[in-house]
Amino acid sequence: MAFWWVNHKQTRDYEVQGEYLWSPKFNQNGARNQSYDNMVIARPGDVVFSYADGQISWVGVVLADASTSPKPMEFGKTGIYWSDEGWHLPVAFQKSAQSVRPKDHLAKIAPKLPAIYSPIQSNGNGNQGMYLTAISDDLGELLLALTKTVLAVADSDTETASTVLQQLTDIDQLRISVEIPETQRAQLVKARVGQGLFRSLVLLKHPVCRVTGVSDKRLLRASHIKPWKDSDNFERLDGNNGIMLSPHVDALFDQGLMSFEDNGRAIFRSDLNKDVLEKWAIPPSHSASPFQTGQRVYLKMHRERLDAIGAYRY
């Protein structure tokens, strides 16, 4: 996962609502522009911070690689001097919990800005010549914390305010920890927001949802089998401690309402209304392929949560 900053005051509303970024391929004089070239460097899963009117108010996740596309008709007279052909980058945006004025946090932000192709000037004003610019992991993580953003693709339960707060607290603690090596610290932060090394390792284990069979990675969550809060730092990054699930299945799994036998058979907590399974088209007797040896250790602990209450085994 990489972090990006987009300056798009003129087109922000169109792009956020339409879930995309668009730029011409070249400057008006035909010269290359690094901030336009970045459109084809961004990859699915990367995070984009939207800057307009002096604030970062939206955060997005890249959904697919950029492709050649005509200038959006909704731009109208905006960018009248831009060429009619450019790059279209699909990005799903969500409103940040806290809007942030970079000027108010320059002391923290300025040291983390890139030496060249910076998205803002030293006084905090936007850099008009820059559109999409790459920023460091340190700055990206700082902006996630400042905007109090928990990405919609997060790997664990993000449904309640208390859970969101806990996730942000975990990230802050990781960022300031001096006991964890810098490289591992960065990997742990990304794992906490459902990205990076952990997600990649889980995808290698089984790249589809165990229940629905959905293989579109944009629609899957890398869920920890042993909860993040109960895991040590090794377990938090261990691909064996993960399973790819569709969001509605993840909601059941993460809350301990369902689990899996080692042979892949789904089991459900006894107090789960069968009506939920019917409406979500989840067969109560569903069985997937067997889990790998490393995953079975974590699954045993996950099943024990159900056994304490009582589980159906169809």
Side-chain angles (χ1 to χ4, degrees):
M1 176 184 73
F3 292 102
W4 303 89
W5 177 314
V6 61
N7 292 331
H8 57 165
K9 178 180 179 179
Q10 297 182 76
T11 58
R12 188 269 311 277
D13 291 344
Y14 301 121
E15 293 179 313
V16 164
Q17 293 173 20
E19 298 195 328
Y20 66 86
L21 294 179
W22 187 91
S23 79
K25 294 184 177 181
F26 305 98
N27 288 335
Q28 186 180 348
N29 62 4
R32 296 285 292 271
N33 183 316
Q34 183 61 53
S35 65
Y36 297 161
D37 290 346
N38 285 337
M39 294 283 281
V40 295
I41 298 176
R43 290 291 177 262
D46 288 356
V47 175
V48 180
F49 295 95
S50 164
Y51 176 83
D53 298 320
Q55 297 188 84
I56 295 174
S57 301
W58 295 83
V59 183
V61 176
V62 177
L63 299 178
D65 292 336
S67 59
T68 297
S69 172
K71 183 168 65 176
M73 295 182 62
E74 57 265 31
F75 281 11
K77 294 183 179 180
T78 300
I80 192 171
Y81 297 110
W82 294 336
S83 61
D84 290 330
E85 183 180 84
W87 297 119
H88 179 279
L89 183 67
V91 179
F93 285 98
Q94 65 185 61
K95 186 74 172 177
S96 60
Q98 178 71 51
S99 291
V100 171
R101 282 173 46 85
K103 277 189 174 183
D104 296 339
H105 303 275
L106 268 183
K108 292 182 178 179
I109 291 176
K112 302 179 186 298
L113 288 169
I116 58 174
Y117 306 126
S118 177
I120 59 175
Q121 303 171 45
S122 58
N123 61 4
N125 291 332
N127 229 333
Q128 292 186 359
M130 293 290 103
Y131 178 63
L132 183 67
T133 59
I135 59 175
S136 67
D137 287 356
D138 280 350
L139 180 53
E141 292 156 13
L142 173 61
L143 294 178
L144 283 177
L146 291 175
T147 57
K148 302 187 185 304
T149 297
V150 176
L151 300 174
V153 293
D155 66 323
S156 59
D157 54 334
T158 58
E159 304 303 323
T160 66
S162 60
T163 303
V164 170
L165 180 59
Q166 182 59 56
Q167 186 166 349
L168 291 170
T169 300
D170 291 343
I171 291 173
D172 283 340
Q173 290 176 345
L174 288 169
R175 289 181 60 247
I176 64 176
S177 174
V178 295
E179 298 177 355
I180 306 173
E182 183 176 351
T183 300
Q184 186 186 26
R185 185 164 63 245
Q187 292 172 343
L188 285 165
V189 169
K190 291 179 180 180
R192 193 63 178 114
V193 295
Q195 302 285 339
L197 177 63
F198 175 73
R199 181 178 174 85
S200 298
L201 293 175
V202 179
L203 282 167
L204 288 174
K205 296 291 179 182
H206 197 78
V208 302
C209 172
R210 282 278 180 171
V211 174
T212 65
V214 169
S215 60
D216 190 330
K217 298 179 180 63
R218 298 171 298 177
L219 306 177
L220 298 178
R221 293 183 176 179
S223 185
H224 281 86
I225 300 173
K226 183 178 181 180
W228 171 278
K229 63 182 177 63
D230 298 329
S231 300
D232 59 31
N233 287 333
F234 172 81
E235 294 168 333
R236 289 169 173 174
L237 292 175
D238 185 3
N240 288 310
N241 187 21
I243 180 172
M244 301 306 300
L245 297 172
S246 297
H248 64 302
V249 181
D250 176 65
L252 297 176
F253 185 79
D254 189 71
Q255 296 181 51
L257 294 172
M258 73 170 296
S259 190
F260 296 91
E261 299 280 14
D262 291 346
N263 62 9
R265 179 177 298 177
I267 58 174
F268 303 89
R269 211 166 77 179
S270 56
D271 60 351
L272 176 64
N273 193 324
K274 292 183 181 179
D275 186 52
V276 172
L277 301 182
E278 293 176 3
K279 291 181 177 179
W280 281 356
I282 300 176
S285 58
H286 175 81
S287 184
S289 59
F291 286 87
Q292 297 180 21
T293 302
Q295 293 173 300
R296 296 179 182 183
V297 176
Y298 292 105
L299 280 171
K300 181 177 183 295
M301 292 182 282
H302 194 270
R303 287 194 299 269
E304 289 173 353
R305 297 170 61 189
L306 275 75
D307 290 337
I309 300 172
Y312 289 124
R313 284 174 169 76
Y314 294 93

